[in-house]
Amino acid sequence: MIIDNRGLEPPQPMMRTLKALDKMKNGEKLAIINDRRPMFLYEELDERGYLHETEAQEDGSFKISITKIGD
């Protein structure tokens, strides 16, 4: 699943992302695209034990791939 959060003001991207993660099962993957690096989201993902990787995109946005591995 991919969620495009570009054009949204904080905290909407983080809220949308966490809501989607809450509905996912362990082992599932989610990709999000944000206008900027989601620094506060990284902290939340680390606390929850999720794996995540960030790739800068050519248009200046960031694609974050998240794997749900625990609650």
Side-chain angles (χ1 to χ4, degrees), residues 25-44:
K25 295 180 177 146
N26 288 345
E28 290 185 323
K29 297 179 187 290
L30 171 68
I32 62 170
I33 302 172
N34 285 15
D35 291 320
R36 51 193 156 274
R37 288 184 186 271
M39 302 312 289
F40 294 111
L41 177 62
Y42 293 146
E43 293 174 17
E44 189 70 29

Side-chain angles (χ1 to χ4, degrees), residues 25-69:
K25 295 180 177 146
N26 288 345
E28 290 185 323
K29 297 179 187 290
L30 171 68
I32 62 170
I33 302 172
N34 285 15
D35 291 320
R36 51 193 156 274
R37 288 184 186 271
M39 302 312 289
F40 294 111
L41 177 62
Y42 293 146
E43 293 174 17
E44 189 70 29
L45 294 175
D46 289 341
E47 282 182 21
R48 293 181 183 207
Y50 298 170
L51 299 175
H52 55 90
E53 182 179 318
T54 302
E55 298 174 53
Q57 304 296 295
E58 288 183 13
D59 66 358
S61 64
F62 294 90
K63 179 179 178 186
I64 300 90
S65 300
I66 304 165
T67 303
K68 184 170 183 175
I69 58 171

